[in-house]
Amino acid sequence: MKTKRISIPKIGEITFVKSTKTRRLSIRIRPLEGVKVTFPESVSFKEAQHFVEEKSSWIQKHLPRIQHIENQWTIFDENTTFRTREHQLEIIPHSELTARYRVGRQKIQVYYPRHRDIHEEALQEFIREAIEEAWRREAKKYLPLRLAYFAQKHNFRYQNVFIKNTKTRWGSCSSQNNINLSLHLMRLPDPLIDYVLLHELCHTVEKNHGKNFWALLDQVTGDARGLDKQLSQYYLKIY
């Protein structure tokens, strides 16, 4: 796999990826990732760039939506109001030289050195680490029980359930019927959490996203396509 970053007028920097696993030339625009072009070995970087230039108007049309989504990325400071289902975030400057956090029963308390700028990338990542620890605890308490409830209600069988800090999928089901769930599910409204759980349980029966899968998912959710559309409005990496 070969990668280049090329600046295109009116668009900005674009990531070009030549891969043996790619069969056709495609453009993908995603929040925090920008514009990415993948293409097969038979296509040159120059040809791929020409393709992008031809699609320039289409890319420019979609960039504002991506930028709007990226603007939802929270920059944390002492005045930020942020809470999970069970915890309220508190950011507190202190006189120590290192940052630390504590996740208690109802609070996420992040202490940072008062001589440092809270907007530093490293501190912002540290705050997110604390928040994600709170979500992890909430997820471990809530998601396995909810999954077991739906499995019993609809007669599904699975092996194990794992809670992970995945930022590419809300959930997945292995060929052995082990179910992986993202701790970021705790950011979703209850109906969408339930939808993801039922989605993965349906994969214990139907391993692909074919017609039978959607029929089964619609049977247990009542509105599979509608819920899936609602879920598409949420982004794992943006909060």
Side-chain angles (χ1 to χ4, degrees):
M1 187 169 65
K2 300 175 183 178
T3 302
K4 284 186 180 180
R5 286 186 64 82
I6 301 174
S7 182
I8 305 293
K10 298 183 180 180
I11 298 175
E13 282 205 341
I14 295 178
T15 302
F16 288 82
V17 180
K18 178 183 285 197
S19 173
T20 56
K21 297 180 180 180
T22 301
R23 294 185 177 182
R24 62 186 180 87
L25 203 156
S26 64
I27 301 173
R28 186 178 72 186
I29 309 174
R30 290 188 176 177
L32 302 182
E33 296 179 12
V35 183
K36 183 178 181 180
V37 180
T38 56
F39 52 99
E41 287 283 344
S42 59
V43 176
S44 69
F45 279 95
K46 187 174 181 180
E47 289 171 325
Q49 184 175 342
H50 180 66
F51 176 78
V52 169
E53 290 168 350
E54 289 182 336
K55 298 292 184 180
S56 177
S57 296
W58 178 85
I59 295 172
Q60 290 179 61
K61 179 182 177 181
H62 286 79
L63 282 177
R65 178 174 176 269
I66 299 303
Q67 290 164 356
H68 173 73
I69 294 167
E70 290 178 345
N71 288 338
Q72 298 174 33
W73 178 266
T74 306
I75 303 298
F76 297 98
D77 60 30
E78 296 94 326
N79 298 314
T80 302
T81 300
F82 189 94
R83 66 171 299 109
T84 66
R85 286 178 169 237
E86 298 180 5
H87 298 84
Q88 179 74 42
L89 175 66
E90 291 184 355
I91 300 176
I92 307 162
H94 68 175
S95 56
E96 297 178 21
L97 297 178
T98 58
R100 60 182 174 84
Y101 69 77
R102 185 174 72 87
V103 179
R105 188 172 183 180
Q106 295 180 319
K107 292 182 179 181
I108 307 165
Q109 294 176 311
V110 179
Y111 299 86
Y112 76 97
R114 65 175 69 254
H115 68 276
R116 292 178 61 184
D117 183 354
I118 190 62
H119 302 102
E120 287 179 23
E121 184 177 350
L123 286 176
Q124 291 293 307
E125 286 300 314
F126 187 77
I127 294 167
R128 290 177 183 277
E129 180 183 324
I131 293 169
E132 289 167 8
E133 176 58 28
W135 275 328
R136 187 190 309 278
R137 297 184 188 188
E138 294 173 13
K140 286 183 176 180
K141 184 168 65 173
Y142 180 77
L143 296 179
L145 290 176
R146 192 67 174 163
L147 187 72
Y149 164 77
F150 282 124
Q152 183 177 22
K153 179 179 180 179
H154 298 290
N155 198 31
F156 290 114
R157 290 183 174 83
Y158 60 93
Q159 294 297 322
N160 301 294
V161 58
F162 302 99
I163 308 298
K164 300 181 179 181
N165 190 7
T166 54
K167 296 180 181 178
T168 55
R169 297 187 191 180
W170 296 106
S172 63
C173 178
S174 73
S175 57
Q176 292 79 33
N177 290 340
N178 291 315
I179 292 179
N180 299 301
L181 299 172
S182 173
L183 59 86
H184 293 271
L185 283 169
M186 302 311 294
R187 292 160 38 196
L188 299 177
D190 285 349
L192 294 184
I193 294 178
D194 291 348
Y195 168 72
V196 173
L197 299 181
L198 288 165
H199 184 116
E200 301 312 329
L201 285 170
C202 285
H203 277 312
T204 64
V205 178
E206 298 289 341
K207 295 301 183 185
N208 55 44
H209 288 102
K211 182 179 179 180
N212 291 339
F213 169 82
W214 285 103
L216 177 60
L217 186 56
D218 200 53
Q219 179 183 327
V220 297
T221 65
D223 183 22
R225 293 294 186 180
L227 290 164
D228 194 67
K229 185 176 181 180
Q230 290 180 46
L231 183 63
S232 70
Q233 303 304 307
Y234 291 83
Y235 295 85
L236 274 157
K237 295 181 180 180
I238 305 288
Y239 67 87

